[in-house]
Amino acid sequence: MKNVLITGAAGFLGSHLCDRFIKEGFYVIGMDNYITGDKRNLEHLSSNPSFEFIEHDVTKHISIDKKLDYILHFASPASPIDYLKIPIQTLKVGSLGTHNLLGLAKAKKARLLIASTSEVYGDPLVHPQTEDYYGNVNTIGPRGVYDEAKRFQESITMAYHRFHGLETRIVRIFNTYGPRMRLNDGRVIPAFMGQALRGEDLTVFGDGSQTRSFCYVDDQVEGIYKLLFSDYSYPVNIGNPAEISIKDFAKEIIKLTGTQQKIIYKNLPVDDPLQRQPDISLAKKILNWEPKVDRTEGMLKTFNFFKDLPEDELHKREHKDFSNHIKK
């Protein structure tokens, strides 16, 4: 049995990866410090003999007694609410945390896959975004703590690959959604669905012409799994290229939920990308991967997950003052 360490295991994507690797016959060691993760995401694995959990902050020294064959580094705040609230921790997990895991991978002779992001492209001047585009990032803007943490993460990973010969993989994740997302994490899908379920009007920032491309979690996990076992060491976009404007997406959510809410408009946050669409030609070529779940099917599954949440969670709010991060 092969052993895999998955950091950020109690998060949305991390918990789905734990499920996939257990299904594939791996022994999974999950690690999380619960700064944004949720214990409930792993409750179903608590008695599984192929799973163990370690509560730990990856920015501190990591010691694992067992042999490790693979490491997947998914520990990081991943939504604007999180990384605007805990900017220093966001930078540290991308830098110190990644450094610790690279050292662990080197000591264990394990292959390491890091979770990068489409945010390395910033507010892109190239559309759709290909892996050879260097990006347009404001290093000192409020979103820079996340964007630059991920860009540094890619750089140090490639340095270990080149200097130490470490086996590494880099996935650039585009907007992903599905069950186990936090309802109030500030991202557009849970935000819209939460507002619809509470009977509130849907809030669109800017004029709604900015675009996003949403990938269902099962497709994302499949792409990550294939990349880990590929022979490709450079970044690969994994996302769904089906692009939609936020305004049109809000209309889709209203139709899906059967509610009668209006769309209201507020000022656009600083450095919010105006376009986001992956070019997945490389993933198709080297991984024989492309998304299978269309948005209608995926959104229905996601909405049913949110609809079944307890009433008190539906009305819970993340308290964050965004006044300093909005274009006046």
Side-chain angles (χ1 to χ4, degrees):
M1 181 179 282
K2 299 281 189 180
N3 294 346
V4 57
L5 169 66
I6 300 176
T7 71
F12 158 55
L13 197 45
S15 64
H16 283 281
L17 285 165
C18 289
D19 290 342
R20 175 62 184 270
F21 277 85
I22 289 172
K23 181 182 176 183
E24 297 289 346
F26 288 80
Y27 184 84
V28 174
I29 303 168
M31 182 175 287
D32 207 301
N33 66 347
Y34 296 124
I35 194 168
T36 59
D38 190 331
K39 293 180 180 180
R40 293 173 300 178
N41 289 341
L42 297 174
E43 279 179 349
H44 64 290
L45 298 177
S46 60
S47 59
N48 193 308
S50 295
F51 180 76
E52 71 171 280
F53 181 78
I54 301 172
E55 185 173 348
H56 184 72
D57 180 349
V58 298
T59 67
K60 297 176 171 47
H61 175 71
I62 302 168
S63 178
I64 303 289
D65 293 333
K66 293 182 173 65
K67 75 178 180 74
L68 290 177
D69 300 284
Y70 304 100
I71 299 171
L72 283 80
H73 181 25
F74 280 74
S76 176
S79 74
I81 276 183
D82 293 333
Y83 54 75
L84 292 176
K85 183 164 42 178
I86 46 174
I88 307 303
Q89 292 94 326
T90 301
L91 286 161
K92 287 174 70 174
V93 76
S95 54
L96 299 177
T98 303
H99 189 210
N100 286 339
L101 288 159
L102 285 161
L104 181 65
K106 181 172 174 283
K108 298 286 187 178
K109 297 181 172 57
R111 180 178 298 177
L112 171 68
L113 180 147
I114 64 161
S116 188
T117 170
S118 59
E119 295 298 323
V120 300
Y121 301 122
D123 188 6
L125 305 177
V126 170
H127 191 74
Q129 292 80 59
T130 56
E131 289 86 351
D132 57 2
Y133 175 52
Y134 295 155
N136 177 42
V137 175
N138 177 4
T139 62
I140 60 171
R143 298 173 70 101
V145 296
Y146 182 66
D147 302 356
E148 290 302 311
K150 292 296 188 179
R151 287 160 71 94
F152 175 83
Q153 183 182 50
E154 289 192 10
S155 296
I156 193 172
T157 297
M158 288 307 300
Y160 264 74
H161 171 72
R162 293 189 179 108
F163 190 78
H164 292 297
L166 190 67
E167 285 199 38
T168 56
R169 305 291 182 266
I170 301 173
V171 58
R172 285 183 180 160
I173 297 169
F174 281 69
N175 297 74
T176 304
Y177 70 98
R180 300 182 196 162
M181 293 187 86
R182 274 191 6 247
L183 183 62
N184 297 297
D185 79 351
R187 286 181 275 196
V188 65
I189 290 173
F192 281 173
M193 290 189 174
Q195 287 175 325
L197 285 166
R198 291 188 294 266
E200 301 168 358
D201 293 333
L202 272 59
T203 303
V204 168
F205 294 98
D207 62 5
S209 63
Q210 68 270 36
T211 66
R212 295 294 182 268
S213 307
F214 300 112
C215 184
Y216 189 65
V217 63
D218 290 354
D219 286 330
Q220 184 64 240
V221 166
E222 176 69 13
I224 292 166
Y225 190 83
K226 285 191 167 187
L227 177 60
L228 178 66
F229 296 106
S230 74
D231 294 322
Y232 194 77
S233 299
Y234 292 94
V236 178
N237 291 338
I238 300 292
N240 191 323
E243 186 181 24
I244 185 172
S245 73
I246 295 299
K247 182 177 181 179
D248 287 343
F249 182 60
K251 293 175 182 176
E252 277 192 7
I253 295 297
I254 290 171
K255 182 178 179 182
L256 168 69
T257 58
T259 54
Q260 302 299 317
Q261 275 68 44
K262 301 191 298 292
I263 299 173
I264 59 175
Y265 296 88
K266 294 188 177 181
N267 291 331
L268 193 68
V270 173
D271 299 327
D272 194 52
L274 297 181
Q275 293 179 308
R276 184 67 83 230
Q277 182 189 28
D279 183 316
I280 61 169
S281 303
L282 185 61
K284 286 181 178 179
K285 179 181 177 182
I286 67 171
L287 306 179
N288 190 29
W289 175 90
E290 60 183 319
K292 301 279 194 290
V293 180
D294 67 34
R295 195 166 58 243
T296 302
E297 177 188 353
M299 289 299 168
L300 182 58
K301 290 179 178 179
T302 307
F303 178 67
N304 287 336
F305 167 78
F306 286 134
K307 193 168 59 173
D308 291 339
L309 290 175
E311 189 71 18
D312 61 336
E313 186 162 344
L314 181 62
H315 292 278
K316 185 172 67 176
R317 293 291 200 278
E318 296 277 359
H319 296 290
K320 172 66 189 176
D321 179 9
F322 286 94
S323 60
N324 294 325
H325 308 298
I326 300 293
K327 291 179 182 174
K328 302 300 183 185

